[in-house]
Amino acid sequence: MQWLRYLVLGTGLATASLLAQQTSVALLASVNPVVFGQSVTLTATVSPMPAGGSVTFYDGAAVLGTGTVTNGQSALTTSLLGPGTRSLRAYFGGSGSFAASTSPSVTETVNVVPGNAFQSPVSYTFNTIAPNQLALGDFNGDGKADVAVVNFVINGGVSVLLGNGDGTLRAPVTSQAGSQPYSIAVGDFNGDGKADLAVGDFDSNGVGILLRNGDGTFHPPVGYGLGVQLT
């Protein structure tokens, strides 16, 4: 329900200002603790119930994914939690007259089960001879771990291999990422709940931000100079 607050001015005129209704978010994990690689469903409940909107789920500063709010709830199933103690939270971005809010952090324990051996390795070929660094993230919003690799050659770009969820990856798709990409990091750099890329460029001594489209592809990089030599 919207409120109206009237501020009476010295002239005797009244001005109405619309205030968004405050909300709260409760976050619940379907199972805790979990085994590394096991799927867990995160459910965020927004109160009072908004008509719509979306919720972004975070593991620390890393984006796990987003979900729409239906009947006051949004859910995300993910297997991207790393081993150890994780700090999870959910952010409701607001909708109409309902204000944005963030849930209290929820601690999730991810245990590693020792194994006796690994399966035989599976190799993936790139269109370059110099893959240099990689980062993990969900780059197409399906809750499965994907891989981004920077290619340390002139105009090598960054290659994204989408995960199938069974230990295999799809063929790499390469995007422009500066003149000589060197290092890589994942984060949500524009607050839209999607995992973006930051790529260090050895040739220009700068960093390029590649915002994610949501389907595993990225916008062209926006460069920022650092003024120091990358090492």
Side-chain angles (χ1 to χ4, degrees), residues 1-7 16-22 96-99:
M1 181 177 180
Q2 300 178 359
W3 322 337
L4 289 178
R5 174 178 294 174
Y6 294 95
L7 303 176
S17 62
L18 185 65
L19 298 181
Q21 184 169 0
Q22 297 300 306
S97 62
F98 293 87

Side-chain angles (χ1 to χ4, degrees), residues 74-103:
S74 179
L76 174 76
T77 299
T78 182
S79 58
L80 295 178
L81 300 181
T85 301
R86 319 305 302 180
S87 179
L88 310 179
R89 60 188 174 90
Y91 171 73
F92 170 61
S95 176
S97 62
F98 293 87
S101 59
T102 303
S103 73

Side-chain angles (χ1 to χ4, degrees), residues 126 128 130-132 149-159 174 180-181:
F126 297 86
T128 175
N132 192 55
V149 182
V150 286
N151 305 305
F152 186 40
V153 291
I154 299 299
N155 298 321
V158 58
S159 299
T174 302
Q180 193 172 10

Side-chain angles (χ1 to χ4, degrees), residues 101-179:
S101 59
T102 303
S103 73
S105 296
V106 171
T107 299
E108 179 82 12
T109 301
V110 181
N111 296 318
V112 176
V113 177
N116 295 322
F118 292 96
Q119 297 180 17
S120 299
V122 178
S123 299
Y124 297 88
T125 303
F126 297 86
N127 296 324
T128 175
I129 60 173
N132 192 55
Q133 289 189 9
L134 62 83
L136 301 180
D138 180 10
F139 301 124
N140 62 344
D142 63 356
K144 301 171 184 176
D146 308 315
V147 178
V149 182
V150 286
N151 305 305
F152 186 40
V153 291
I154 299 299
N155 298 321
V158 58
S159 299
V160 174
L161 297 84
L162 298 178
N164 295 314
D166 59 359
T168 64
L169 303 170
R170 302 178 203 175
V173 175
T174 302
S175 301
Q176 178 189 359
S179 57

